Amino acid sequence: FPVTISAQSIAERKKPKGEIKFKITLTEEQKEAKRLIYENKVVALHGVAGTSKTFVATNAALNLYFKKEINKIIILRPAVALEDIGFLKGSAEDKLKYYFLPIIHNMYQMYDKVKIDKMIAEKDIEIMPLGFIQGITVDDFLIVDEAENVTKLQMKMILSRLGKRGKMVFTGDTGQVALKDYEKSGFKKLIDLDGRIENFKSLEMLANYRDWE
């Protein structure tokens, strides 16, 4: 049977008053991406490296978490990008943290480091290889990073995990597919669904923020 991600009733958590204060002010393009995430169940953010795709996704996720609208943030990356971490020292969990460090660093930039580390320690932020999504019902917030390396079969598997209260954000660059067969990437096919199904939107991020992301 599917395992529901939410471990605690949202109704039991006291919602904060006012807006959540982050260290960085979003641009209009980033605000538009964030709006699409709030208004849809599934969103695909695509663009070249440095266009703040994952940054915006994590910002939206943290905002919903601190507003008590979700209980958990899950971040996945496809296995093709994890092949080289087997040479790193430490446990499997240590290796995953090292590989996901750029995403965690984004969170440090926008919010208090101590709070982010506490969320990771308590599994309110959880990082895992893509294959671990099987058997899980996503009723909170799922970010699939480097989604250009998600195969069509894997994409179907991930989308089938979406629960009634969940959200999924896919971030990637269609020009950086690392799969041996480019045609197997499911990200471009997902983007092409924009306007054809309900509760799904895609957005190409254009402005480059590499100097600070």
Side-chain angles (χ1 to χ4, degrees):
F1 295 95
V3 178
T4 301
I5 286 294
S6 300
Q8 179 185 14
S9 172
I10 294 176
E12 296 174 358
R13 303 168 65 193
K14 187 177 179 181
K15 294 187 177 183
K17 297 179 180 179
E19 293 298 314
I20 306 302
K21 294 182 179 180
F22 291 97
K23 295 178 183 179
I24 294 177
T25 301
L26 300 184
T27 66
E28 291 305 311
E29 181 186 56
Q30 292 168 334
K31 289 177 182 178
E32 172 63 12
K34 198 170 177 179
R35 181 187 68 80
L36 291 178
I37 292 171
Y38 291 157
E39 294 181 356
N40 295 275
K41 297 276 289 179
V42 180
V43 170
L45 300 179
H46 60 104
V48 300
T51 49
S52 76
K53 304 177 295 294
T54 307
F55 184 91
V56 173
T58 52
N59 182 274
L62 286 172
N63 196 58
L64 291 174
Y65 176 86
F66 292 130
K67 286 187 173 183
K68 315 301 181 185
E69 295 182 29
I70 59 171
N71 288 314
K72 192 180 188 75
I73 301 168
I74 308 168
I75 305 170
L76 301 184
R77 272 187 167 182
V80 67
L82 295 169
E83 292 175 351
D84 294 332
I85 69 171
F87 298 101
L88 298 175
K89 294 182 180 180
S91 65
E93 185 174 1
D94 291 335
K95 292 176 182 179
L96 279 175
K97 285 182 179 179
Y98 179 87
Y99 185 71
F100 282 85
L101 191 60
I103 299 174
I104 297 171
H105 180 67
N106 274 343
M107 294 184 178
Y108 290 162
Q109 284 188 302
M110 69 181 79
Y111 206 77
D112 179 63
K113 181 180 183 298
V114 174
K115 177 61 177 176
I116 298 299
D117 286 340
K118 184 173 184 289
M119 290 172 66
I120 294 171
E122 295 179 352
K123 303 294 186 181
D124 288 341
I125 296 174
E126 191 164 6
I127 55 180
M128 62 180 72
L130 185 148
F132 283 47
I133 195 68
Q134 287 184 311
I136 290 175
T137 298
V138 179
D139 272 327
D140 284 299
F141 200 110
L142 173 69
I143 298 171
V144 182
D145 192 41
E146 297 191 357
E148 70 273 8
N149 293 320
V150 174
T151 67
K152 294 175 183 178
L153 184 61
Q154 290 170 333
M155 186 67 71
K156 183 177 180 180
M157 176 189 71
I158 296 169
L159 292 171
S160 71
R161 302 292 92 202
L162 182 61
K164 292 182 178 179
R165 299 185 302 275
K167 284 184 180 293
M168 291 183 176
V169 180
F170 295 82
T171 65
D173 177 4
T174 56
Q176 295 292 323
V177 176
L179 297 170
K180 293 181 180 179
D181 184 353
Y182 178 88
E183 296 301 322
K184 287 187 177 180
S185 175
F187 190 50
K188 178 63 165 60
K189 186 174 182 179
L190 177 67
I191 293 171
D192 290 342
L193 292 176
D194 190 3
R196 296 165 57 187
I197 58 174
E198 294 183 1
N199 293 315
F200 171 72
K201 288 291 182 182
S202 70
L203 177 68
E204 182 179 8
M205 307 292 286
L206 299 174
N208 197 302
Y209 306 90
R210 180 56 73 191
D211 291 339
W212 59 268
E213 185 179 356

